[in-house]
Amino acid sequence: MASPADLWVKECGEASRLADEVSKMLSERGSLPPSGPETQRFLSGLRRRITILGTRLGKLEADLASLPRKSISDKEMHKRHELLSNLRAREKQMASALNMSYAADREDLLGSSKGTVDEVKRATGLDNQGIVGLQRQIMREQDEGLEKLEETVYSTKHIALAVNEELNLHTRLIDTLDQRVEDTDSRLQRVQKRLAILNKRNKAGCSCMCLLLSVLAIVILAVIAWMLLKYL
């Protein structure tokens, strides 16, 4: 069975690997868009890892303080304290970088805020456990804010879908109206053509009638003239 000192080394190695993973994720943050669901999931996972790292470091500090003095040498104890101090400094630096990144994203989405200043004031005078508790509380508040923002986004999405459906309906009605107007225009053109043909026929009929009446009048005049010459 491994001794407490050996277990501490194993857990410290796991914490160090977790710190390396967080550091790598922070370096990948710049390749993501400023906002969006993918970015929010990435930041949420990063926050949780930093919180887990802080919790593990707190446990390592407590376990190191409870180790029997005779189990390790003073030199080894100093080395472990230095290792923990470096990991704690990295954890605070990464948490600060994440808070700055999240504050910038939140300002882009929701506008400028005094939340960061308030968080700094709230953290003043707290010990390590208090800071961990405050970080968890801040994460819960941030998650609640993101949930409200998500609800707003979903509500806006539903409204946009409803508006889009209404626009599609209006488009279909306009297309139907255009088709009916085209059909009516075609019918009017056919009627106009028929009226033009009838008009031409009427004009031709009138011309024939006038010619016939003229011929008849000439014949009558000729008959009258012949009779006058005969009897005179």
Side-chain angles (χ1 to χ4, degrees), residues 26 88-98:
L26 281 173
R88 178 62 74 180
R90 288 183 62 189
E91 182 262 338
K92 290 181 179 180
Q93 183 179 6
M94 291 185 295
S96 177
L98 176 63

Side-chain angles (χ1 to χ4, degrees), residues 93-160:
Q93 183 179 6
M94 291 185 295
S96 177
L98 176 63
N99 288 335
M100 291 177 61
S101 176
Y102 183 80
D105 294 341
R106 183 175 59 184
E107 184 174 356
D108 291 338
L109 290 172
L110 305 177
S112 59
S113 172
K114 296 182 179 180
T116 304
V117 178
D118 294 338
E119 291 169 6
V120 174
K121 291 181 179 179
R122 291 163 64 182
T124 303
L126 296 177
D127 56 8
N128 291 333
Q129 293 182 353
I131 291 175
V132 171
L134 178 60
Q135 287 179 343
R136 291 177 178 175
Q137 181 179 354
I138 291 173
M139 285 194 302
R140 285 194 298 269
E141 294 173 357
Q142 291 173 349
D143 289 339
E144 290 175 359
L146 288 175
E147 289 177 358
K148 292 180 180 179
L149 179 61
E150 184 180 8
E151 291 176 359
T152 303
V153 170
Y154 279 133
S155 177
T156 305
K157 178 182 177 181
H158 291 319
I159 294 174

Side-chain angles (χ1 to χ4, degrees), residues 164-212:
N164 183 59
E165 184 178 355
E166 189 72 16
L167 289 175
N168 289 334
L169 176 60
H170 289 171
T171 301
R172 290 195 297 270
L173 291 175
I174 291 173
D175 291 339
T176 303
L177 181 61
D178 289 340
Q179 184 64 38
R180 291 181 179 179
V181 170
E182 290 178 358
D183 293 341
T184 303
D185 184 63
S186 299
R187 292 177 182 175
L188 286 175
Q189 289 180 359
R190 289 196 295 269
V191 171
Q192 288 177 351
K193 289 180 180 180
R194 291 178 181 177
L195 288 175
I197 293 173
L198 290 176
N199 188 29
K200 289 180 180 180
R201 290 179 179 177
N202 288 334
K203 287 182 179 180
C206 290
S207 297
C208 294
M209 183 63 68
C210 291
L211 181 62
L212 181 61

Side-chain angles (χ1 to χ4, degrees), residues 21-71:
E21 181 182 358
V22 172
S23 179
K24 181 180 178 181
M25 291 181 67
L26 281 173
S27 64
E28 296 172 351
R29 171 64 181 89
S31 61
L32 295 175
S35 60
E38 181 182 358
T39 302
Q40 295 303 327
R41 286 193 296 270
F42 181 86
L43 292 177
S44 179
L46 189 55
R47 284 200 309 270
R48 286 179 173 83
R49 283 173 173 80
I50 292 178
T51 302
I52 293 172
L53 177 60
T55 303
R56 288 186 178 180
L57 292 179
K59 182 178 182 298
L60 286 171
E61 290 171 347
D63 292 342
L64 184 60
S66 63
L67 285 178
R69 287 294 180 179
K70 295 181 180 181
S71 61

